[in-house]
Amino acid sequence: MSINTEIEEIIRNDLLKLEDVYACMVARKGLEGIVLFEESKDPELKEVWISLEKTMDEFFSIIKEYSIYGLNKIYFELGKYDVIFFILPETDTALVALIPVLANRGLLEVELENTREKIIEILEREKKL
């Protein structure tokens, strides 16, 4: 199984099954990476996704600039959604989730952190091979 397939499976099974996770990705600047979203959870999602794509590169520039200082999360509100970046250590890559503003952020952060740890394990395992 490829790394991307393994990460996609983790995102699909651990995060997209949650009612309040509308979209998830592991990406870097230019939106290179794995992008998954559930259109059925909110019909406005495509419009928000287009707006998000336009601003993503700016956030990855911030990640690159401040990761040396230990930056590990970024949050911002985009209309009725929260976008959460969970940065993978020592990379220019992040696990990104799109959730409703009124969601239980604390609970979702735990799930995102658990998923980030699984992704880090996969990436570290691949380095050793």
Side-chain angles (χ1 to χ4, degrees), residues 12-30:
R12 195 173 303 287
N13 293 333
D14 292 0
L15 296 176
L16 286 181
K17 69 176 183 175
L18 301 172
E19 182 179 341
D20 286 334
V21 176
Y22 290 173
C24 235
M25 69 181 104
V26 174
R28 62 175 47 102
K29 194 170 186 172

Side-chain angles (χ1 to χ4, degrees), residues 30-82:
L31 281 183
E32 297 175 32
I34 301 164
V35 179
L36 301 169
F37 64 95
E38 296 291 329
E39 293 180 60
S40 61
K41 291 184 179 177
D42 189 332
E44 295 177 20
L45 196 56
K46 275 190 178 181
E47 292 175 33
V48 172
W49 194 256
I50 291 167
S51 297
L52 186 57
E53 286 177 329
K54 292 176 184 176
T55 61
M56 264 320 212
D57 281 351
E58 294 173 35
F59 282 93
F60 282 108
S61 295
I62 292 169
I63 289 169
K64 184 177 181 182
E65 184 73 28
Y66 291 99
S67 65
I68 61 171
Y69 301 109
L71 177 70
N72 71 1
K73 292 180 202 141
I74 297 175
Y75 306 89
F76 71 93
E77 192 172 313
L78 184 62
K80 63 181 186 176
Y81 305 96
D82 278 338

